[in-house]
C-alpha cells in the first residue's frame, strides 16, 4: 500500500493497522510473519546453509546482491545482531558500511532522524537499524517510503529502500524471533518440531524485546503451551498475554524455573535488562536465584529439550554449562542460525530467494 499518511498519522496507527503499509517491504514487527512465512524462511535458511557449504554455491551466493550497498545503523550496543547481519550481507555480496555511534554522525549536530534516514537512503539500498526508541523504526520506514530515492529490484520494480529492525525499544526484535523459532524447529526436528510443544520462557519478560517478540510468534504453532517464569517485577505484560488469550494459546505463569523444567520441551533463558532501569548507573546486582539455570537443572530437563538464550548472557546460566558437551545446549548454534536466517530474509527482501533454493 502506498504511503499516503503524514508521519504523525502513520505513527498514530496501531501496529496492526501499519501492517498493510509495510507489506513485505520492511521488517519492523514479529507480527508481520504468519506461519507460511515462518516455514518458508526456515526452509530458505536451510537452503542458504546448504548452498554455502559447497564452494561453487558460496561463490554463486556472493554474486546474488553484488553492487548493493547496506548501512548497519546501530544506535545501541550489539555484537551478534550486528555481526550476523554484516556476515549475511557479505555472503550475499552486499557492500556494507556501519554507523554505530550517533555521536559521530550529524544527529549529534541536531539533525532529525527523518533527515538522517533521507540521507542514508541517498546512498544505500538497505538500512538495518537498532534504536532505543520504539518509534524510530516505523519513523525510518515512513521516511524511506516517502523519500526522493527508490531502489530497483532485480524484477525491475522500484521500491522504497527497505528498513530492517535489528531491535527497537523494549518491545520489538523481529529477526531475533525468527531465528529463535528457526533454532527451535531445528532442535525439535526429531520430535515433530514446535507444534504441540511446551516452551518455558525465563527471566526479564517485561523488558526483553527478544523474548517478547518470540512469545508473539509462538501462537503460529498448533497446540503450543507457553510457560512464563519471571521475578515479580519482570513479569510478562498483558499486551502479550492478552494476545495469547485471543489466539487461544494456553499459557501459565510458574513461580520458578526449576518446577517447570520437567514439563518443558524447550527452555529460553534471558538476561535482566537493566539498561532500562531508572537508575541505570547502578549496574547488575545479580539474577534472582530462582531464575538462574544451573548445571543440575539439565538432569530435570527432557532429553530432547533445547536450552536457548538470545545472548548476551551474564550470570543467568551457570558458566560450567558451556564446558559440557550436551547437545541440548543450543545457544551458540542459535547465533549461527541467526546469520542464516538473516541471509534468508535479505534474499527474500531483494527478490533473489529463488536462487538460494538452487
Ligand atoms: C538482545 C537485544 O539486544 O535485544 N540481544 C540480541 O540481539 N541477541 C537481547 C539482550 O540484549 O539481552
Amino acid at each position: 500500500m502506498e504511503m499516503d499518511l503524514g508521519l504523525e498519522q502513520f505513527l498514530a496507527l496501531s501496529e496492526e493497522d501499519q501492517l498493510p503499509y509495510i507489506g513485505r517491504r520492511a521488517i519492523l514487527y514479529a507480527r508481520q510473519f504468519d506461519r507460511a512465512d515462518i516455514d518458508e524462511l526456515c526452509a530458505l535458511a536451510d537452503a542458504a546453509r546448504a548452498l554455502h557449504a559447497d564452494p561453487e554455491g558460496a561463490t554463486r551466493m556472493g554474486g546474488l546482491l553484488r553492487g548493493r550497498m547496506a548501512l548497519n545503523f546501530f544506535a545501541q550496543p550489539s555484537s551478534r545482531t550486528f555481526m550476523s547481519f554484516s556476515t549475511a550481507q557479505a555472503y550475499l555480496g552486499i557492500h556494507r558500511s556501519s554507523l554505530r555511534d550517533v555521536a559521530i554522525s550529524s544527529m549529534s549536530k541536531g539533525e532529525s532522524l527523518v533527515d538522517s534516514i533521507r540521507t542514508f537512503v541517498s546512498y544505500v539500498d538497505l538500512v538495518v537499524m537498532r534504536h532505543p526508541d520504539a518509534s524510530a523504526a516505523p519513523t525510518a520506514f515512513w521516511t524511506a517510503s516517502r523519500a526522493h530515492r527508490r531502489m530497483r529490484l532485480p524484477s525491475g520494480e522500484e521500491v522504497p529502500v527497505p528498513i530492517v529492525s535489528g531491535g527497537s525499544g523494549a518491545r520489538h526484535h523481529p529477526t531475533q524471533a525468527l531465528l529463535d523459532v528457526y533454532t527451535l524447529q531445528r532442535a525439535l526436528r526429531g520430535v515433530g518440531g514446535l507444534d504441540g510443544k511446551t516452551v518455558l520462557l525465563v527471566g526479564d519478560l517485561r523488558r526483553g524485546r527478544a523474548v517478547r517478540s518470540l512469545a508473539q510468534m509462538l501462537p503460529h504453532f498448533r497446540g503450543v503451551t507457553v510457560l512464563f517464569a519471571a521475578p515479580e517485577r519482570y513479569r510478562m505484560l498483558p499486551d502479550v498475554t492478552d494476545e495469547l488469550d485471543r489466539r487461544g494459546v494456553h499459557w501459565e505463569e510458574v513461580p520458578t524455573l526449576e518446577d517447570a523444567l520437567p514439563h518443558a520441551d524447550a527452555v529460553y533463558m534471558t538476561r535482566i535488562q537493566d539498561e532500562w532501569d531508572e537508575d541505570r548507573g547502578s549496574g547488575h546486582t545479580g539474577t534472582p536465584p530462582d531464575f538462574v539455570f544451573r548445571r543440575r537443572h539439565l538432569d530435570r530437563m527432557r532429553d530432547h529439550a533445547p536450552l536457548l538464550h538470545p545472548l548476551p548472557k551474564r550470570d543467568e546460566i551457570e558458566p560450567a554449562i558451556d564446558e559440557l558437551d550436551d547437545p541440548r545446549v543450543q545457544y551458540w548454534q542459535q547465533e549461527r542460525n541467526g546469520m542464516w536466517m538473516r541471509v534468508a530474509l535479505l534474499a527474500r527482501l531483494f527478490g533473489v530467494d529463488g536462487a538460494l533454493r538452487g
Side-chain angles (χ1 to χ4, degrees):
M1 198 152 121
E2 279 310 308
M3 182 58 72
D4 52 4
L5 303 177
L7 176 60
E8 297 308 321
Q9 283 174 296
F10 180 67
L11 293 181
L13 295 180
S14 66
E15 282 160 28
E16 202 63 41
D17 290 338
Q18 289 180 7
L19 297 185
Y21 289 94
I22 300 167
R24 283 192 175 190
R25 289 179 173 177
I27 300 172
L28 304 188
Y29 307 124
R31 60 189 329 140
Q32 267 176 259
F33 299 94
D34 63 17
R35 179 64 188 268
D37 287 319
I38 295 169
D39 288 347
E40 182 193 331
L41 286 163
C42 289
L44 206 51
D46 277 340
R49 193 189 286 263
L51 183 66
H52 198 270
D54 162 49
E56 268 180 41
T59 305
R60 231 180 23 249
M61 190 186 284
L64 288 179
L65 293 173
R66 192 176 293 140
R68 300 287 186 177
M69 292 293 301
L71 172 68
N72 296 317
F73 165 42
F74 279 65
Q76 273 183 304
S78 175
S79 299
R80 272 147 291 271
T81 307
F82 179 83
M83 286 279 301
S84 66
F85 266 112
S86 181
T87 312
Q89 290 156 0
Y91 279 3
L92 287 162
I94 306 177
H95 292 286
R96 57 219 192 279
S97 51
S98 64
L99 177 55
R100 303 198 63 177
D101 184 356
V102 175
I104 59 161
S105 80
S106 286
M107 278 173 262
S108 69
K109 300 179 188 166
E111 185 170 58
S112 67
L113 181 66
V114 167
D115 281 2
S116 297
I117 298 291
R118 285 200 177 111
T119 302
F120 300 159
V121 305
S122 296
Y123 306 120
V124 301
D125 308 302
L126 166 71
V127 178
V128 178
M129 64 183 281
R130 167 171 286 192
H131 204 285
D133 179 354
S135 68
T139 298
F141 169 72
W142 177 87
T143 308
S145 303
R146 304 271 288 228
H148 53 289
R149 179 172 165 260
R150 300 197 144 218
M151 80 118 186
R152 189 187 290 267
L153 290 174
S155 64
E157 191 192 350
E158 299 220 334
V159 296
V161 169
I163 304 292
V164 175
S165 167
S168 174
R171 294 172 51 133
H172 299 295
H173 201 345
T175 67
Q176 179 75 41
L178 283 167
L179 79 89
D180 291 341
V181 162
Y182 177 48
T183 302
L184 288 166
Q185 285 282 64
R186 279 177 73 84
L188 295 167
R189 233 176 346 203
V191 289
L194 250 177
D195 288 313
K197 299 298 189 296
T198 296
V199 182
L200 170 62
L201 307 176
V202 185
D204 190 342
L205 309 182
R206 184 187 180 90
R207 306 173 298 180
R209 57 191 171 196
V211 71
R212 290 172 49 82
S213 299
L214 173 60
Q216 286 185 301
M217 216 170 256
L218 290 176
H220 291 305
F221 294 85
R222 285 177 291 278
V224 153
T225 297
V226 185
L227 303 179
F228 297 116
E232 178 63 30
R233 60 196 165 124
Y234 304 131
R235 287 168 59 193
M236 185 56 90
L237 291 170
D239 61 335
V240 168
T241 52
D242 288 352
E243 188 168 339
L244 295 182
D245 285 337
R246 268 198 308 278
R247 294 167 73 172
V249 174
H250 179 68
W251 61 271
E252 258 176 70
E253 292 189 306
V254 293
T256 67
L257 129 84
E258 183 145 10
D259 298 334
L261 278 178
H263 311 288
D265 297 295
V267 180
Y268 190 93
M269 297 297 299
T270 70
R271 170 180 73 83
I272 304 297
Q273 310 274 315
D274 37 25
E275 65 270 35
W276 301 106
D277 284 348
E278 298 275 320
D279 55 339
R280 230 186 261 206
S282 65
H284 181 47
T285 48
T287 303
D290 283 345
F291 307 95
V292 173
F293 194 102
R294 300 181 199 285
R295 193 180 163 146
R296 63 181 156 81
H297 288 145
L298 285 167
D299 300 334
R300 288 177 65 80
M301 226 164 106
R302 291 181 168 172
D303 289 343
H304 62 257
L307 177 64
L308 273 63
H309 192 307
L311 302 177
K313 63 182 168 65
R314 292 186 300 205
D315 59 348
E316 63 276 11
I317 294 184
E318 203 172 62
I321 291 173
D322 287 317
E323 307 306 321
L324 304 175
D325 192 16
D326 189 314
R328 294 173 297 178
V329 178
Q330 282 285 318
Y331 38 84
W332 302 112
Q333 283 82 350
Q334 190 180 352
E335 291 186 326
R336 183 95 185 149
N337 291 340
M339 186 197 64
W340 294 120
M341 179 49 77
R342 284 156 180 149
V343 168
L345 283 165
L346 296 181
R348 201 170 83 152
L349 261 182
F350 283 87
V352 296
D353 43 313
L356 286 185
R357 290 190 200 92

